Amino acid sequence: MALSKSQLKTRIINEMKAQGAKETGQYSWVERMAEAISNAVVDEIQANAQVPVTGGSSAGTYKVE
């Protein structure tokens, strides 16, 4: 399964709302903050994460997409 910035953003927004944050309104930063966090997390994982496969014909280390 590929990582999805939009799905992570939605999860972050939902979690922030569950904690009492307001998603809408003139001064709400929830949407922009969730987008910034999700972009940074997915970019970091895709740039640096590796998955080791230790056995079978697919043995090796693979990047996360």
Side-chain angles (χ1 to χ4, degrees):
M1 177 180 107
L3 295 171
S4 169
K5 291 179 182 181
S6 63
Q7 286 180 349
L8 181 56
K9 176 183 172 183
T10 300
R11 286 179 182 266
I12 292 169
I13 289 171
N14 289 337
E15 189 61 35
M16 291 174 75
K17 286 171 36 181
Q19 298 294 323
K22 302 292 182 209
E23 182 181 1
T24 59
Q26 182 179 357
Y27 301 106
S28 177
W29 276 72
V30 170
E31 186 88 18
R32 287 179 279 177
M33 189 181 313
E35 185 168 356
I37 293 168
S38 64
N39 288 345
V41 169
V42 170
D43 289 347
E44 178 68 16
I45 290 170
Q46 289 178 333
N48 298 308
Q50 296 183 348
V51 178
V53 176
T54 58
S57 62
S58 298
T61 303
Y62 298 92
K63 290 187 63 71
V64 174
E65 294 182 8

